[in-house]
């Protein structure tokens, strides 16, 4: 996993502050001492076969690569088993040489709900916060972004990204083992910033929104997706204990409250572009993610409620702009 080309690309540019920090972040985020399973995941990465790619697809539901000829049954099974060594796969779906990586999330559904309502990504530098293995990063590249940087602190997801990158070979798409707090303060270097499925995990939602704002160039666009509740301005659910069996869920605002939060920290023109209840078709257990999923987190007698009795997961996508006038580079 060689990040030197990215460091060199950033040196002497508005990304230079991050280029200087990146080696330390890589050492920390991919530390064998901190992550005992990292060696096993890297072995799986190294075991992936060298295959000739005939076509790469970034703008359809199954991001992936196809070969110049059909794999033998033995080669197909070997590829599948090697990729299975990186279980669990959360965000996707992907397809590599007819191996369908049927991930827990149908992340393509989320993309379809927002793709036509955001500012065009053509020519933009984009940041994807909490990107997982990078599914939406590939879709952003497929939509024309000139550079896509995903950040996620989970090393398994970083290795999964590199497994995909082995065949997709997109030198303008990167996933870095980092969190939003690792991005240099007031960088103001991204044209579009995505934060999807992150806000409710933050103990201070206002701080998260300000961190996102400070990543954006003047007039740049935030695309925010988070859990919400039905309600009026000022209404917020703060779960006691767990929410849908997640222990790290802090604040679920109404859409009106979320828009008010965005204005409070300086964003302009907040707009709700989608509100959807999460279904057990969109998030579910599969062969590629065999642990409990949404069906196990809902009340079996009343799926409109979480197992704890709170409203079942409902997600909104909101856009807003950083102050100032956006100018293309």
């Amino acid at each position: 996993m060689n990040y030197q080309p990215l460091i060199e690309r950033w040196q002497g540019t508005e990304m230079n502050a991050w280029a200087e920090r990146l080696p330390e972040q890589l050492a920390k985020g991919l530390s064998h001492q901190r992550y005992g399973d990292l060696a096993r995941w890297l072995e799986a990465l190294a075991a992936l076969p060298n295959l000739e790619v005939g076509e790469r697809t970034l703008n359809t539901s199954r991001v992936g690569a196809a070969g110049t000829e059909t794999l033998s049954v033995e080669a197909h099974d070997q590829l599948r088993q090697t990729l299975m060594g990186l279980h669990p796969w959360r965000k996707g779906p992907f397809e590599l040489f007819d191996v369908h990586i049927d991930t827990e999330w149908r992340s393509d559904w989320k993309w379809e709900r927002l793709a036509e309502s955001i500012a065009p990504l053509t020519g933009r530098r984009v940041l994807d916060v909490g990107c997982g293995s990078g599914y939406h990063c590939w879709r952003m590249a497929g939509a024309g972004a000139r550079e896509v940087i995903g950040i996620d602190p989970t090393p398994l997801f970083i290795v999964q990204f590199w497994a995909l990158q082995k065949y997709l070979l997109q030198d303008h798409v990167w996933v870095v083992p980092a969190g939003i707090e690792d991005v240099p303060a007031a960088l103001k270097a991204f044209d579009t910033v995505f934060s999807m499925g992150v806000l409710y995990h933050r103990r201070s939602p206002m701080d998260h929104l300000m961190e996102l704002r400070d990543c954006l160039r003047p007039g740049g666009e935030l695309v925010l997706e988070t859990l919400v509740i039905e309600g009026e301005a000022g209404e917020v659910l703060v779960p006691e204990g767990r929410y849908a069996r997640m222990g790290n869920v802090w604040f679920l605002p109404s859409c009106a409250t979320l828009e008010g939060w965005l204005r409070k920290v300086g964003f302009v023109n907040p707009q709700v572009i989608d509100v959807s209840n999460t279904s057990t078709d969109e998030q579910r257990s599969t062969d590629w993610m065999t642990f409990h999923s949404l069906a196990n987190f809902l009340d079996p007698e009343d799926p409109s409620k979480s197992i704890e009795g709170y409203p079942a997961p409902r997600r909104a996508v909101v856009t807003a702009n950083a102050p100032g006038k956006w100018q293309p580079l």
Side-chain angles (χ1 to χ4, degrees), residues 6 9-10 15 18 125-129 131 137 140 147-151 172-176 190:
L6 180 62
R9 174 187 293 179
W10 283 352
M15 299 290 285
W18 201 350
R125 174 183 283 143
V126 181
L127 177 67
D128 186 4
V129 179
C131 67
C137 295
M140 295 164 195
E147 181 176 84
V148 182
I149 305 300
I151 56 175
H172 62 306
V173 180
W174 297 81
V175 172
V176 174
F190 290 93

Coordinates of all heavy atoms in Angstrom, one line a residue, residues 6 9-10 15 18 125-129 131 137 140 147-151 172-176 190:
L6 N 0.6 9.9 -3.6 CA -0.3 10.9 -3.1 C 0.4 12.0 -2.4 O 0.1 13.2 -2.6 CB -1.4 10.2 -2.2 CG -2.4 11.1 -1.6 CD1 -3.3 11.8 -2.7 CD2 -3.3 10.4 -0.6
R9 N 2.0 14.2 -4.9 CA 1.0 15.0 -5.6 C 0.5 16.2 -4.8 O 0.3 17.3 -5.3 CB -0.3 14.2 -5.9 CG -1.4 15.0 -6.5 CD -2.7 14.1 -6.7 NE -2.5 13.1 -7.7 CZ -3.4 12.1 -8.0 NH1 -4.6 12.2 -7.4 NH2 -3.2 11.2 -8.9
W10 N 0.5 16.1 -3.5 CA 0.0 17.1 -2.6 C 1.1 18.1 -2.2 O 0.7 19.3 -1.8 CB -0.6 16.5 -1.3 CG -1.9 15.9 -1.5 CD1 -2.8 16.0 -2.5 CD2 -2.6 15.1 -0.5 NE1 -3.9 15.3 -2.3 CE2 -3.9 14.8 -1.0 CE3 -2.3 14.7 0.8 CZ2 -4.8 14.0 -0.3 CZ3 -3.3 14.0 1.5 CH2 -4.5 13.6 1.0
M15 N -2.9 21.2 -0.4 CA -3.0 20.0 0.4 C -1.6 19.7 1.1 O -1.5 18.7 1.8 CB -3.3 18.8 -0.5 CG -4.7 19.0 -1.1 SD -6.1 18.8 0.0 CE -6.1 17.1 0.3
W18 N -1.5 18.5 4.8 CA -1.9 17.1 5.0 C -0.8 16.1 4.5 O -0.5 15.1 5.1 CB -3.2 16.8 4.3 CG -3.9 15.5 4.8 CD1 -3.4 14.6 5.7 CD2 -5.2 15.1 4.5 NE1 -4.4 13.6 5.9 CE2 -5.5 13.9 5.2 CE3 -6.2 15.6 3.7 CZ2 -6.7 13.2 5.1 CZ3 -7.5 14.9 3.6 CH2 -7.7 13.8 4.3
R125 N -12.5 18.3 -6.4 CA -11.8 17.5 -5.4 C -12.8 17.2 -4.3 O -13.5 18.1 -3.8 CB -10.6 18.2 -4.8 CG -10.0 17.5 -3.7 CD -8.9 18.3 -3.0 NE -7.7 18.2 -3.9 CZ -6.8 19.2 -4.1 NH1 -7.1 20.4 -3.5 NH2 -5.7 19.1 -4.8
V126 N -13.0 15.9 -4.0 CA -14.0 15.4 -3.1 C -13.4 14.7 -1.9 O -12.5 13.9 -2.1 CB -15.0 14.5 -3.9 CG1 -16.1 14.0 -3.0 CG2 -15.5 15.2 -5.1
L127 N -14.0 14.9 -0.8 CA -13.7 14.2 0.5 C -14.9 13.4 0.9 O -16.0 13.9 1.0 CB -13.3 15.2 1.6 CG -13.0 14.6 3.0 CD1 -11.7 13.7 2.9 CD2 -12.9 15.7 4.0
D128 N -14.7 12.1 1.2 CA -15.7 11.2 1.7 C -15.3 10.7 3.1 O -14.4 9.9 3.3 CB -15.9 10.0 0.8 CG -17.1 9.1 1.1 OD1 -17.8 9.4 2.1 OD2 -17.2 8.0 0.5
V129 N -16.1 11.3 4.1 CA -15.7 11.0 5.5 C -16.5 9.7 6.0 O -17.7 9.6 5.8 CB -16.2 12.2 6.4 CG1 -15.9 11.9 7.9 CG2 -15.5 13.5 5.9
C131 N -15.7 6.5 4.8 CA -16.1 6.0 3.5 C -16.1 4.4 3.5 O -16.5 3.9 2.5 CB -15.0 6.4 2.5 SG -13.4 5.8 2.8
C137 N -16.7 6.4 -3.0 CA -15.5 7.0 -3.6 C -15.4 6.7 -5.1 O -15.2 7.5 -6.0 CB -14.2 6.6 -2.9 SG -14.1 7.2 -1.2
M140 N -18.1 8.5 -7.0 CA -17.8 9.9 -7.2 C -16.8 10.0 -8.3 O -16.9 10.9 -9.1 CB -17.2 10.4 -5.9 CG -18.1 10.5 -4.7 SD -17.3 10.7 -3.1 CE -18.6 10.3 -2.0
E147 N -10.3 14.3 -8.1 CA -9.6 13.6 -7.1 C -10.6 13.3 -6.0 O -11.4 14.1 -5.6 CB -8.5 14.5 -6.5 CG -7.7 13.8 -5.4 CD -6.5 14.7 -4.9 OE1 -6.7 15.5 -4.0 OE2 -5.4 14.4 -5.4
V148 N -10.6 12.0 -5.5 CA -11.4 11.6 -4.4 C -10.6 11.0 -3.3 O -9.8 10.1 -3.5 CB -12.4 10.5 -4.9 CG1 -13.4 10.1 -3.8 CG2 -13.2 11.0 -6.1
I149 N -10.8 11.6 -2.1 CA -10.1 11.1 -0.9 C -11.1 10.6 0.1 O -12.0 11.4 0.5 CB -9.3 12.3 -0.3 CG1 -8.3 12.9 -1.3 CG2 -8.5 11.7 0.9 CD1 -7.3 12.0 -1.9
G150 N -11.1 9.3 0.4 CA -11.9 8.8 1.4 C -11.1 8.6 2.7 O -9.9 8.4 2.7
I151 N -11.7 8.9 3.8 CA -11.1 8.6 5.1 C -11.9 7.7 6.0 O -13.1 7.8 6.0 CB -10.8 10.0 5.9 CG1 -12.0 10.8 6.1 CG2 -9.7 10.8 5.1 CD1 -11.8 12.0 7.0
H172 N -6.5 8.6 -9.0 CA -7.0 9.8 -8.4 C -8.0 9.4 -7.3 O -8.7 10.3 -6.8 CB -7.7 10.7 -9.5 CG -8.9 10.0 -10.2 ND1 -8.8 8.8 -10.8 CD2 -10.1 10.5 -10.3 CE1 -10.0 8.5 -11.3 NE2 -10.8 9.5 -11.1
V173 N -8.1 8.2 -6.9 CA -9.0 7.7 -5.8 C -8.1 7.1 -4.7 O -7.3 6.2 -5.0 CB -10.0 6.7 -6.3 CG1 -10.9 6.3 -5.2 CG2 -10.8 7.3 -7.5
W174 N -8.3 7.6 -3.5 CA -7.5 7.1 -2.4 C -8.3 7.0 -1.1 O -9.2 7.8 -1.0 CB -6.3 8.1 -2.1 CG -5.3 8.2 -3.2 CD1 -5.4 9.0 -4.3 CD2 -4.1 7.6 -3.3 NE1 -4.3 8.9 -5.1 CE2 -3.5 8.0 -4.5 CE3 -3.4 6.7 -2.5 CZ2 -2.2 7.6 -4.9 CZ3 -2.1 6.2 -2.9 CH2 -1.6 6.7 -4.1
V175 N -8.0 6.0 -0.3 CA -8.6 5.9 1.0 C -7.5 5.9 2.0 O -6.6 5.1 2.0 CB -9.5 4.6 1.1 CG1 -10.0 4.5 2.6 CG2 -10.7 4.7 0.2
V176 N -7.6 6.8 3.0 CA -6.6 7.0 4.0 C -7.1 6.6 5.4 O -8.2 6.8 5.7 CB -6.3 8.5 4.0 CG1 -5.3 8.8 5.2 CG2 -5.7 9.0 2.7
F190 N -11.5 21.3 -0.4 CA -12.4 20.4 -1.1 C -13.6 21.1 -1.6 O -14.1 22.0 -1.0 CB -12.8 19.2 -0.2 CG -11.7 18.3 0.2 CD1 -11.0 18.5 1.3 CD2 -11.4 17.2 -0.6 CE1 -9.9 17.6 1.7 CE2 -10.4 16.3 -0.3 CZ -9.6 16.5 0.8

